[in-house]
Amino acid sequence: MTITLDDAQRKAVDHSTGAVLALGGPGTGKTRVLEERFVRLATSETTPDRILFFVPNRTQKMALQNRLTRRLLIDEDLDAVIEIPVYTWHAFAYHLVSRHYDKLDYSEPPVLLTSPEHWGSIRDALGREDDVNWPHHKHLLRNRGFVDEVVDFFIRVGQRAMDRPELEALANLQPKWFELISFYQRHHTELRQRNRVDYPTLLRDAVELLANFDDVRTSLHGRFQHLLVDDGQELALVQQRLLHFLTAFTTDGPGDRSLVLAGDPDSAIETFRGAEPDWIDDFAKEFGEHDTVTLATSYRLGPELGAAVTGLIGRNDARGHRPEVFAGAATLEVKRFGNLSAEVDAIAREVRMAHLNDKIPFEDMAILLTSPRSMLPPLERALDALEVPFSVNAPDRPLGREPIVRAFADLARLAFTDDPDVDVVAELLRSPLIGLEDATVRELERVARISERTLTEVIEDPPTLADPEAGPKLAELVELRDLLRSKKDAPADEAFWVVWDRSHLCGELQERAERGLEDPAHRDLDALVAFSRALGRFVERRRGSGTFTDYLDAIGRADFGSDPWLPPERSGGGVNVVSFHGAKGKEWSIVAVAGVVEGSIPKGRRATGLFDPYFLDETDPISRARKNEMEDRRVFYVSVTRATQRCIVTTSPGPTRRGEPSRFIEELTGDVPGVELGADLPPLTFAEAAARHRRILADVTAGRSERIAALAAIARICEVDPTCSAAQPSEWWWRWDWTEGAIPIRTQQADPDDDLPPDKLRTSYSRISTYDNCGLQYLFAVVLGLDPDTSHNMAFGSVIHKVFEELETGALPVEPKAAYARYDKLFEEIRNQFPNRAMARQFYRDGQVMIERYGKHLRPGEAAKAEVGFRVELEGHRITGRIDRVDERAGKLVISDYKTSRHPVQFNEAKESLQLAIYHLAAKSDPELTELGEPGLMQLLYPGAPLSRNEVANRTQTPEQAEEAITRLPALIEGVLAEDFRPDPEANCQWCKFKPLCPLWSEGKELPA
Ligand code: SF4
């Protein structure tokens, strides 16, 4: 097979001995050079098993191994290939540590702890710690957030391969960290004694072996003659050290050995994993004399896009390796939209058109999102509306979230827990494994309530139910549960197969899967196979002794990211929806880079923790901020260089509706484009065409012939696609507009004794903020009073506020004991309002943390005022409310509102907060407040959120920002009075309880396209 390489690529491929640094930008063929070198060496100089190839992750390892095997066996005609040593760094280190465990004082090959297990081991160890070892942080030892911070610190220490003297030096620099560093050393000794090793320590152990044991080093030098490293810019210090000892060029000279390390410092985006992008500049320090090959031609980017991205990344620093020739075809388009729905709709149209007109497969396109959580729902709606298939590639998505896998985990919880959570049992009943209808589950819950039994007890002895199939299904559930119980001590994978084989679903899925590849049964079966593999690996790593209960215990801790032993999510086909980081190392024909707004990219301020691991890298806040921005610019650079044909960058005000185009857009193109005006675009689906014709049909101002033509077109669509419900008149339930009442709701609800004229509104900030989010949500929640089960949240908030208030007003003595006692008493009164005991326990603990932080950080008893009621008039309208706390600071008032959420809002949201702006207005106009002084700052305080710089997290608004935010108020009041209660397509629907009633959501039926 003939492969064409350019001169620079050829030079790296043909290099003889010693080290070579192959630098190149996106699309210059770095990975290809390494692969070609592997093939050349394996076919002409040595055997494949003597070439060690490092790649960054397991997915790349599998793909590369497959490609190389094919190349060697099929294209190069090799008779047999025994081993192709492609490794991830951790896999290689584990191989080494398991083999030479005795040299590291393990008594047997250590068990590798996964990330959740590592977290759990630190949590348990902190729980056992004696308070005297923690003079500064003893009150935090059992706090989840604190465990996270300690884990972060451990990881960073591992990535930097810090040894004892370095840790001691750190303790001298940060005396408050001394107790943490001592704990770190104790914990590691304990893990080693128990033959356990965590991921961060694994690489350090491998370095220790190579650095201190000549025989290990020499044998590896003999075994691997050539080394290849991909993505070299992402190496953490510990990986650099490992590579240093693997080559030992600076001490022993290269001999007949070689190293080719390929990288692009501009694409280094994993500093959160310990990567040090600048280390490549000091390559000679680790590997001595070397050649540098610059891959100067990008075969992916076209000239215009190439010049734009070079200008962008050039703002970070000057580097000589950037491509000079752009021989690819990728072009750049930047579009700006007036709102998020227009943005996602335009993207959906672009991919649909590219598929229809240019025949580009959906799988060969990608949409990269800055903030997947908030952008995904509207994007999914837009893609669904245009019938664009897509799959959300979230590599960190735990397998446990697959419904079928979750059902199995829930079955195990039912089998092995004395008092299983009622929600878990109800979820299991509805799951595909059992398959009861919602109504039947509710019937069972009702029976349980009336007969004062638990749901589990009712399942054991069920009544006659309305659904005749429910009885056999419940019987199967009990049978499966008992079967699993009987396998309590069996390895988890064996127990799984026994139960799975017995379930009716097993046969059903297999039967359905045989009907065709399109059947969703394939997805469930894939998930189950992956689950069984995950269980297999879990058992294997415990030397065959991991039971299902052990597994549940481990995944129970995994609520903070992926389970590393689980396989990555399968792509379900269709357009790939990925995060910016997830796009690294990949390419597609068309890439839409969406949501490019300030605050998302660049991210702006990062939260800083108690033991901020960042401190280990950078102490100066200004240069830290600069480094953050440089990294964000690299992330953007990586995203806009993924397309081989078209890169479409889009921006809009985004989910907050107030976002500004990212500064990176201007850096990329020299200016920010104007907002695209909605054009009359051709319909792309039958449903869209039918909707368009229906609009003409319903338009009484349209000409007669035009309406008749529309009717004929709808009839034709019915003929061509009888499944198109948008063209079926019987389905047009929505052709009636919103029901107009004869009397406005306000008039119906008016209080005859009210002193406000009927055209004026009485409201509160929380009500008007609801309207600010969405008119329909306001109608349901405020006007119709339908706000469902938020009672436990509200009750909990009242309890916390009450304790704070009593401390502030002197009703309680300012001492922790009194505060906790009062809290306990108040909490007892609301305990029954929580849906289940687990939730009540969690809230109770959260409350304790809040009270503790209040006492420590918020100067109890020192407020100028607490719980101040206010009333402001604005153009005759009346807004009332309460302010939690007013302090005087430097002659100005600081107005605070306590929030019991653990997740603070974005900084920008606080700056534009209507609530804080109304407080500002109140402080300027309410007599009780004006006499205290001028407002200087408004803030939301989050005593339940992780501490920020060792202080309670807050989000602030200045008086100038308040003046700006309050200008939105009159239009909102007008909207309420005009009873404009339409759902807002850009609303933040994340916590809205009315989705089942909302026409914008599939639960409440979609609006016509
Ligand atoms: S789901 Fe969203 S659009 Fe619908 S009512 Fe709730 S907030 Fe409004």
Side-chain angles (χ1 to χ4, degrees), residues 783-805:
V783 182
L784 302 180
L786 297 180
D787 204 357
D789 60 41
T790 48
S791 54
H792 66 270
N793 275 314
M794 283 160 52
F796 176 70
S798 309
V799 165
I800 296 293
H801 278 76
K802 183 97 186 128
V803 177
F804 289 179
E805 181 192 348

PDB file of all heavy atoms in Angstrom, residues 783-805:
ATOM      1  N   VAL A 783     -51.008  32.609  38.945  1.00  0.00           N
ATOM      2  CA  VAL A 783     -52.415  32.963  38.744  1.00  0.00           C
ATOM      3  C   VAL A 783     -53.324  31.798  39.139  1.00  0.00           C
ATOM      4  O   VAL A 783     -54.292  31.960  39.861  1.00  0.00           O
ATOM      5  CB  VAL A 783     -52.663  33.367  37.275  1.00  0.00           C
ATOM      6  CG1 VAL A 783     -54.107  33.787  37.086  1.00  0.00           C
ATOM      7  CG2 VAL A 783     -51.737  34.499  36.879  1.00  0.00           C
ATOM      8  N   LEU A 784     -52.959  30.598  38.670  1.00  0.00           N
ATOM      9  CA  LEU A 784     -53.834  29.451  38.960  1.00  0.00           C
ATOM     10  C   LEU A 784     -53.417  28.696  40.229  1.00  0.00           C
ATOM     11  O   LEU A 784     -54.100  27.770  40.648  1.00  0.00           O
ATOM     12  CB  LEU A 784     -53.848  28.494  37.762  1.00  0.00           C
ATOM     13  CG  LEU A 784     -54.304  29.135  36.440  1.00  0.00           C
ATOM     14  CD1 LEU A 784     -54.283  28.120  35.321  1.00  0.00           C
ATOM     15  CD2 LEU A 784     -55.710  29.717  36.577  1.00  0.00           C
ATOM     16  N   GLY A 785     -52.286  29.074  40.783  1.00  0.00           N
ATOM     17  CA  GLY A 785     -51.857  28.458  42.055  1.00  0.00           C
ATOM     18  C   GLY A 785     -51.607  26.972  41.949  1.00  0.00           C
ATOM     19  O   GLY A 785     -51.877  26.214  42.890  1.00  0.00           O
ATOM     20  N   LEU A 786     -51.057  26.547  40.799  1.00  0.00           N
ATOM     21  CA  LEU A 786     -50.878  25.098  40.616  1.00  0.00           C
ATOM     22  C   LEU A 786     -49.501  24.611  41.051  1.00  0.00           C
ATOM     23  O   LEU A 786     -49.165  23.461  40.815  1.00  0.00           O
ATOM     24  CB  LEU A 786     -51.057  24.733  39.132  1.00  0.00           C
ATOM     25  CG  LEU A 786     -52.425  25.000  38.541  1.00  0.00           C
ATOM     26  CD1 LEU A 786     -52.450  24.582  37.082  1.00  0.00           C
ATOM     27  CD2 LEU A 786     -53.484  24.210  39.306  1.00  0.00           C
ATOM     28  N   ASP A 787     -48.675  25.496  41.573  1.00  0.00           N
ATOM     29  CA  ASP A 787     -47.298  25.106  41.877  1.00  0.00           C
ATOM     30  C   ASP A 787     -47.293  23.854  42.741  1.00  0.00           C
ATOM     31  O   ASP A 787     -47.734  23.875  43.883  1.00  0.00           O
ATOM     32  CB  ASP A 787     -46.596  26.252  42.609  1.00  0.00           C
ATOM     33  CG  ASP A 787     -45.099  26.144  42.418  1.00  0.00           C
ATOM     34  OD1 ASP A 787     -44.680  25.163  41.789  1.00  0.00           O
ATOM     35  OD2 ASP A 787     -44.384  27.031  42.888  1.00  0.00           O
ATOM     36  N   PRO A 788     -46.886  22.729  42.154  1.00  0.00           N
ATOM     37  CA  PRO A 788     -46.980  21.491  42.926  1.00  0.00           C
ATOM     38  C   PRO A 788     -45.788  21.299  43.843  1.00  0.00           C
ATOM     39  O   PRO A 788     -44.903  22.126  43.897  1.00  0.00           O
ATOM     40  CB  PRO A 788     -46.975  20.422  41.839  1.00  0.00           C
ATOM     41  CG  PRO A 788     -46.175  21.029  40.736  1.00  0.00           C
ATOM     42  CD  PRO A 788     -46.262  22.510  40.862  1.00  0.00           C
ATOM     43  N   ASP A 789     -45.814  20.183  44.470  1.00  0.00           N
ATOM     44  CA  ASP A 789     -44.889  19.758  45.516  1.00  0.00           C
ATOM     45  C   ASP A 789     -43.540  20.449  45.694  1.00  0.00           C
ATOM     46  O   ASP A 789     -42.507  19.830  45.680  1.00  0.00           O
ATOM     47  CB  ASP A 789     -44.647  18.249  45.373  1.00  0.00           C
ATOM     48  CG  ASP A 789     -44.043  17.881  44.024  1.00  0.00           C
ATOM     49  OD1 ASP A 789     -43.166  18.599  43.548  1.00  0.00           O
ATOM     50  OD2 ASP A 789     -44.478  16.880  43.474  1.00  0.00           O
ATOM     51  N   THR A 790     -43.527  21.753  45.840  1.00  0.00           N
ATOM     52  CA  THR A 790     -42.274  22.391  46.232  1.00  0.00           C
ATOM     53  C   THR A 790     -42.276  22.583  47.743  1.00  0.00           C
ATOM     54  O   THR A 790     -41.436  23.234  48.297  1.00  0.00           O
ATOM     55  CB  THR A 790     -42.124  23.761  45.565  1.00  0.00           C
ATOM     56  OG1 THR A 790     -43.328  24.456  45.748  1.00  0.00           O
ATOM     57  CG2 THR A 790     -41.795  23.653  44.101  1.00  0.00           C
ATOM     58  N   SER A 791     -43.297  21.991  48.392  1.00  0.00           N
ATOM     59  CA  SER A 791     -43.499  22.325  49.795  1.00  0.00           C
ATOM     60  C   SER A 791     -42.310  21.989  50.675  1.00  0.00           C
ATOM     61  O   SER A 791     -41.952  22.773  51.549  1.00  0.00           O
ATOM     62  CB  SER A 791     -44.749  21.639  50.302  1.00  0.00           C
ATOM     63  OG  SER A 791     -44.629  20.273  50.037  1.00  0.00           O
ATOM     64  N   HIS A 792     -41.656  20.843  50.434  1.00  0.00           N
ATOM     65  CA  HIS A 792     -40.555  20.520  51.347  1.00  0.00           C
ATOM     66  C   HIS A 792     -39.386  21.477  51.163  1.00  0.00           C
ATOM     67  O   HIS A 792     -38.741  21.869  52.126  1.00  0.00           O
ATOM     68  CB  HIS A 792     -40.117  19.056  51.179  1.00  0.00           C
ATOM     69  CG  HIS A 792     -39.506  18.730  49.870  1.00  0.00           C
ATOM     70  ND1 HIS A 792     -40.231  18.315  48.796  1.00  0.00           N
ATOM     71  CD2 HIS A 792     -38.223  18.773  49.451  1.00  0.00           C
ATOM     72  CE1 HIS A 792     -39.430  18.103  47.768  1.00  0.00           C
ATOM     73  NE2 HIS A 792     -38.211  18.380  48.142  1.00  0.00           N
ATOM     74  N   ASN A 793     -39.147  21.907  49.911  1.00  0.00           N
ATOM     75  CA  ASN A 793     -38.091  22.897  49.688  1.00  0.00           C
ATOM     76  C   ASN A 793     -38.419  24.197  50.397  1.00  0.00           C
ATOM     77  O   ASN A 793     -37.568  24.803  51.038  1.00  0.00           O
ATOM     78  CB  ASN A 793     -37.982  23.203  48.187  1.00  0.00           C
ATOM     79  CG  ASN A 793     -37.103  22.196  47.485  1.00  0.00           C
ATOM     80  OD1 ASN A 793     -36.020  21.887  47.981  1.00  0.00           O
ATOM     81  ND2 ASN A 793     -37.562  21.693  46.369  1.00  0.00           N
ATOM     82  N   MET A 794     -39.680  24.602  50.243  1.00  0.00           N
ATOM     83  CA  MET A 794     -40.069  25.865  50.857  1.00  0.00           C
ATOM     84  C   MET A 794     -40.012  25.768  52.380  1.00  0.00           C
ATOM     85  O   MET A 794     -39.530  26.668  53.064  1.00  0.00           O
ATOM     86  CB  MET A 794     -41.472  26.248  50.395  1.00  0.00           C
ATOM     87  CG  MET A 794     -41.436  26.812  48.978  1.00  0.00           C
ATOM     88  SD  MET A 794     -42.994  26.759  48.126  1.00  0.00           S
ATOM     89  CE  MET A 794     -44.082  27.526  49.255  1.00  0.00           C
ATOM     90  N   ALA A 795     -40.507  24.633  52.888  1.00  0.00           N
ATOM     91  CA  ALA A 795     -40.503  24.471  54.345  1.00  0.00           C
ATOM     92  C   ALA A 795     -39.065  24.478  54.866  1.00  0.00           C
ATOM     93  O   ALA A 795     -38.758  25.113  55.890  1.00  0.00           O
ATOM     94  CB  ALA A 795     -41.190  23.157  54.716  1.00  0.00           C
ATOM     95  N   PHE A 796     -38.175  23.819  54.139  1.00  0.00           N
ATOM     96  CA  PHE A 796     -36.775  23.778  54.567  1.00  0.00           C
ATOM     97  C   PHE A 796     -36.178  25.194  54.552  1.00  0.00           C
ATOM     98  O   PHE A 796     -35.521  25.625  55.499  1.00  0.00           O
ATOM     99  CB  PHE A 796     -35.988  22.857  53.630  1.00  0.00           C
ATOM    100  CG  PHE A 796     -34.526  22.819  53.908  1.00  0.00           C
ATOM    101  CD1 PHE A 796     -34.034  22.206  55.050  1.00  0.00           C
ATOM    102  CD2 PHE A 796     -33.620  23.416  53.034  1.00  0.00           C
ATOM    103  CE1 PHE A 796     -32.669  22.177  55.312  1.00  0.00           C
ATOM    104  CE2 PHE A 796     -32.266  23.398  53.287  1.00  0.00           C
ATOM    105  CZ  PHE A 796     -31.785  22.774  54.435  1.00  0.00           C
ATOM    106  N   GLY A 797     -36.471  25.934  53.453  1.00  0.00           N
ATOM    107  CA  GLY A 797     -35.965  27.308  53.358  1.00  0.00           C
ATOM    108  C   GLY A 797     -36.460  28.135  54.536  1.00  0.00           C
ATOM    109  O   GLY A 797     -35.709  28.909  55.135  1.00  0.00           O
ATOM    110  N   SER A 798     -37.750  27.962  54.898  1.00  0.00           N
ATOM    111  CA  SER A 798     -38.292  28.763  56.013  1.00  0.00           C
ATOM    112  C   SER A 798     -37.580  28.431  57.315  1.00  0.00           C
ATOM    113  O   SER A 798     -37.309  29.323  58.132  1.00  0.00           O
ATOM    114  CB  SER A 798     -39.778  28.487  56.213  1.00  0.00           C
ATOM    115  OG  SER A 798     -40.428  28.613  55.023  1.00  0.00           O
ATOM    116  N   VAL A 799     -37.284  27.137  57.522  1.00  0.00           N
ATOM    117  CA  VAL A 799     -36.615  26.749  58.767  1.00  0.00           C
ATOM    118  C   VAL A 799     -35.250  27.432  58.868  1.00  0.00           C
ATOM    119  O   VAL A 799     -34.894  28.026  59.889  1.00  0.00           O
ATOM    120  CB  VAL A 799     -36.461  25.205  58.836  1.00  0.00           C
ATOM    121  CG1 VAL A 799     -35.477  24.799  59.908  1.00  0.00           C
ATOM    122  CG2 VAL A 799     -37.813  24.564  59.093  1.00  0.00           C
ATOM    123  N   ILE A 800     -34.498  27.366  57.781  1.00  0.00           N
ATOM    124  CA  ILE A 800     -33.157  27.974  57.800  1.00  0.00           C
ATOM    125  C   ILE A 800     -33.258  29.486  58.031  1.00  0.00           C
ATOM    126  O   ILE A 800     -32.552  30.060  58.853  1.00  0.00           O
ATOM    127  CB  ILE A 800     -32.419  27.673  56.465  1.00  0.00           C
ATOM    128  CG1 ILE A 800     -32.187  26.167  56.322  1.00  0.00           C
ATOM    129  CG2 ILE A 800     -31.106  28.430  56.368  1.00  0.00           C
ATOM    130  CD1 ILE A 800     -31.226  25.577  57.312  1.00  0.00           C
ATOM    131  N   HIS A 801     -34.169  30.118  57.296  1.00  0.00           N
ATOM    132  CA  HIS A 801     -34.333  31.564  57.455  1.00  0.00           C
ATOM    133  C   HIS A 801     -34.728  31.914  58.888  1.00  0.00           C
ATOM    134  O   HIS A 801     -34.274  32.888  59.447  1.00  0.00           O
ATOM    135  CB  HIS A 801     -35.396  32.088  56.483  1.00  0.00           C
ATOM    136  CG  HIS A 801     -34.847  32.316  55.102  1.00  0.00           C
ATOM    137  ND1 HIS A 801     -34.583  31.296  54.231  1.00  0.00           N
ATOM    138  CD2 HIS A 801     -34.489  33.444  54.454  1.00  0.00           C
ATOM    139  CE1 HIS A 801     -34.099  31.789  53.099  1.00  0.00           C
ATOM    140  NE2 HIS A 801     -34.027  33.092  53.211  1.00  0.00           N
ATOM    141  N   LYS A 802     -35.583  31.064  59.447  1.00  0.00           N
ATOM    142  CA  LYS A 802     -36.062  31.326  60.806  1.00  0.00           C
ATOM    143  C   LYS A 802     -34.894  31.290  61.796  1.00  0.00           C
ATOM    144  O   LYS A 802     -34.758  32.175  62.651  1.00  0.00           O
ATOM    145  CB  LYS A 802     -37.102  30.245  61.157  1.00  0.00           C
ATOM    146  CG  LYS A 802     -37.745  30.403  62.488  1.00  0.00           C
ATOM    147  CD  LYS A 802     -39.074  31.115  62.325  1.00  0.00           C
ATOM    148  CE  LYS A 802     -39.686  31.412  63.667  1.00  0.00           C
ATOM    149  NZ  LYS A 802     -40.062  32.776  63.854  1.00  0.00           N
ATOM    150  N   VAL A 803     -34.052  30.271  61.673  1.00  0.00           N
ATOM    151  CA  VAL A 803     -32.917  30.165  62.602  1.00  0.00           C
ATOM    152  C   VAL A 803     -32.015  31.382  62.443  1.00  0.00           C
ATOM    153  O   VAL A 803     -31.614  32.016  63.431  1.00  0.00           O
ATOM    154  CB  VAL A 803     -32.118  28.857  62.356  1.00  0.00           C
ATOM    155  CG1 VAL A 803     -30.904  28.790  63.255  1.00  0.00           C
ATOM    156  CG2 VAL A 803     -32.999  27.640  62.568  1.00  0.00           C
ATOM    157  N   PHE A 804     -31.708  31.737  61.198  1.00  0.00           N
ATOM    158  CA  PHE A 804     -30.833  32.902  60.968  1.00  0.00           C
ATOM    159  C   PHE A 804     -31.470  34.167  61.551  1.00  0.00           C
ATOM    160  O   PHE A 804     -30.807  34.984  62.167  1.00  0.00           O
ATOM    161  CB  PHE A 804     -30.596  33.117  59.465  1.00  0.00           C
ATOM    162  CG  PHE A 804     -29.718  32.071  58.820  1.00  0.00           C
ATOM    163  CD1 PHE A 804     -29.436  32.117  57.465  1.00  0.00           C
ATOM    164  CD2 PHE A 804     -29.155  31.048  59.571  1.00  0.00           C
ATOM    165  CE1 PHE A 804     -28.633  31.164  56.858  1.00  0.00           C
ATOM    166  CE2 PHE A 804     -28.355  30.074  58.969  1.00  0.00           C
ATOM    167  CZ  PHE A 804     -28.099  30.138  57.613  1.00  0.00           C
ATOM    168  N   GLU A 805     -32.764  34.298  61.309  1.00  0.00           N
ATOM    169  CA  GLU A 805     -33.449  35.501  61.776  1.00  0.00           C
ATOM    170  C   GLU A 805     -33.381  35.596  63.302  1.00  0.00           C
ATOM    171  O   GLU A 805     -33.057  36.632  63.868  1.00  0.00           O
ATOM    172  CB  GLU A 805     -34.915  35.473  61.327  1.00  0.00           C
ATOM    173  CG  GLU A 805     -35.682  36.703  61.765  1.00  0.00           C
ATOM    174  CD  GLU A 805     -37.189  36.551  61.575  1.00  0.00           C
ATOM    175  OE1 GLU A 805     -37.607  35.590  60.896  1.00  0.00           O
ATOM    176  OE2 GLU A 805     -37.929  37.381  62.126  1.00  0.00           O
TER     177      GLU A 805
END
